[in-house]
Amino acid sequence: MKRVNETVVLQSITVNSIIDQILMLWKFIKPPLVVPLLRLMVIICLVMSVMLFVERVYMGIVKLFIMLLRRKPEKNYKWEAMQAEDLELGSSAYPMVLVQIPMYNEKEVYQLSIGAACGLSWPSDRIIVQDMVEVECAKWANKGVNIKYEIRDNRNGYKAGALKEGLKHSYVSQCDFVAIFDADFQPEPDFLMRTVPFFVHNHDIGLVQARWKFANADECLMTRMQEMSLNYHFSVEQEVGSQTCAFFGFNGTAGVWRLKTLNEAGGWKDRTTVEDMDLAVRASLKGWKFVFVRDIEVISELPSTFKAFRYQQHRWSCGPSNLFKKMAFEIATSKKVTLWKRLYVLYSFFLVRKVVAHIVTFAFYCVVLPLTVLVPEVEVPLWGVVYIPSVITILNAIETPRSLHLVVFWVVFENVMAMHRTKATIIGLLEIGRVNEWVVTEKLGDALKPKASNTVPLLSSAPVKKSGWTIWERLNGLEMIAGVFLLFCGSYDFFYGKNYFFIYILLQAIAFFVVGLGYVGTFVPK
């Protein structure tokens, strides 16, 4: 027993000596190295915060004027409805439209999108639907729909490769416009009747983009958070870009392209994972105008599992930063567009929204701010840590008034996702690692099905059910590590600190732990 006690004492002495040495090293390097470095990081983060703040306030002011002046695309551009009586006189007055439905292993939803596309109100001899499911093509062809079964024997170029391959067929030369819908998107029958007139009467318009509407927004807390972010994207970012510079990033679906625009811009390219944005930027540099129509909504499905959402966000963050790197010089030296438009695309669209917004959200609020708790010599001004983020949050949340009571959850969840977005942004800028990774976003299709019991289901196959994962399969390591770091900083501030950030830091730590344990998709909000 005596020897055991001696061993415990020796171990205790050893541990204490190691802790003492760490504390001595910390006291030694803190004044000359840690404090100046952290102060520099605070300054950089404050500058980025101001950049993001000015951008959000500017867009908020423009959005307010759009609402007060009731500026709608139908008023800004010439728009006349296609005359119904033309159907009796003949369909030649209607331009030829190609509808593409690119998909890959999306059997849970393909029947819905194909059915919606084949149900578009348009003369049957003036529309061609291009699809990759042979059985569905045969079914709709028997109903008189001009539908073509097209499939590739490889996945080269992923979605861009599929769309590019689809345009190589001889019958495409007959078409004037191409409408694109992802596998989970269901356009209303009047979609073409409301979008094509913009092209017919305005020959400088190259793209008309509709808004997304989410069938499963109420499925869980994670889908509600996505709805808040995407509502801001469409209601503010897309509309402000459309109204001020006639430019915004194509969303890859629920839009119509003029084929002349698409060809003039160089067609689809697979050099990044955002082939839609790539095409939009190149077309804009050719002088084409884009129109966003907020009143046209297309039903779609939000990712309802964290794994699917994380892969989607990696693609949506890595691709734009990589495209920014590839096209910055080309944008800056373009001669066909005004200096204002070039500055808007380079600074506002790419630098602030696609790079700064992700990095400052994670670096400032999840790393730098908690570190200042451990280094009280470094102070963060109140305007940088309270006023600016509060204004940004309000401007974002106000676009989804039904979820205003969930704004705190949105803030902490967005900060968690900012970690993945920052990582993806850096990968894209440096062009390393998973820069060209493409994972198809998982679709479940349940929310898109008819709910009435007397309605015949559109899907014949059984719905995909979420697997009952074990805790180890759910576990997300990076989130757990970040949660431990934030918990330590928050606890230190509670017991020893003087910054009083511990409430926010501990809330953020809880958010990281919830996501890290894989339970973010299980909470259903009221």
Side-chain angles (χ1 to χ4, degrees), residues 10-26:
L10 288 174
Q11 289 177 345
S12 176
I13 294 173
T14 303
V15 171
N16 290 334
S17 62
I18 292 174
I19 294 174
D20 290 339
Q21 290 178 5
I22 292 174
L23 291 175
M24 287 180 61
L25 179 62
W26 171 251

Side-chain angles (χ1 to χ4, degrees), residues 102-287:
M103 63 178 65
Y104 178 76
N105 283 351
E106 292 162 299
K107 61 183 179 180
E108 292 79 24
V109 292
Y110 72 79
Q111 287 181 317
L112 298 169
S113 58
I114 297 172
C118 292
L120 291 169
S121 298
W122 203 253
S124 59
D125 61 333
R126 307 299 293 171
I127 185 172
I128 302 173
V129 179
Q130 193 179 81
D131 191 62
M132 303 171 68
V133 182
E134 187 173 10
V135 175
E136 285 297 298
C137 289
K139 182 180 78 174
W140 287 101
N142 291 334
K143 296 181 180 180
V145 176
N146 189 2
I147 187 168
K148 306 289 186 181
Y149 169 61
E150 307 292 358
I151 193 168
R152 299 188 298 163
D153 58 2
N154 60 73
R155 286 196 72 205
N156 294 340
Y158 302 106
K159 182 178 176 180
L163 292 170
K164 185 176 181 179
E165 190 70 24
L167 296 178
K168 291 181 179 180
H169 300 284
S170 58
Y171 56 80
V172 176
S173 61
Q174 309 169 29
C175 301
D176 304 293
F177 309 105
V178 54
I180 302 170
F181 302 104
D182 281 352
D184 59 315
F185 280 72
Q186 300 177 69
E188 294 294 330
D190 64 350
F191 179 86
L192 293 179
M193 290 291 187
R194 299 178 67 183
T195 55
V196 172
F198 283 104
F199 297 103
V200 173
H201 303 294
N202 305 274
H203 299 292
D204 55 349
I205 291 178
L207 166 68
V208 176
Q209 172 74 60
R211 179 174 175 155
W212 298 0
K213 183 179 180 180
F214 314 110
N216 64 330
D218 291 326
E219 183 173 343
C220 62
L221 185 61
M222 188 178 70
T223 52
R224 287 286 286 270
M225 302 302 98
Q226 292 177 66
E227 181 193 35
M228 291 180 71
S229 298
L230 287 172
N231 278 350
Y232 179 83
H233 168 69
F234 285 107
S235 298
V236 179
E237 292 180 345
Q238 297 286 82
E239 186 156 22
V240 169
S242 176
Q243 294 275 358
T244 57
C245 294
F247 169 79
F248 49 83
F250 175 46
N251 294 118
T253 179
V256 185
W257 279 95
R258 188 188 296 271
L259 269 172
K260 180 182 177 182
T261 303
L262 201 153
N263 293 328
E264 190 177 302
W268 296 102
K269 294 185 178 181
D270 59 0
R271 56 182 176 173
T272 69
T273 57
V274 284
E275 71 295 321
D276 43 13
M277 187 182 295
D278 189 346
L279 175 60
V281 174
R282 285 183 280 114
S284 179
L285 295 182
K286 294 292 183 180

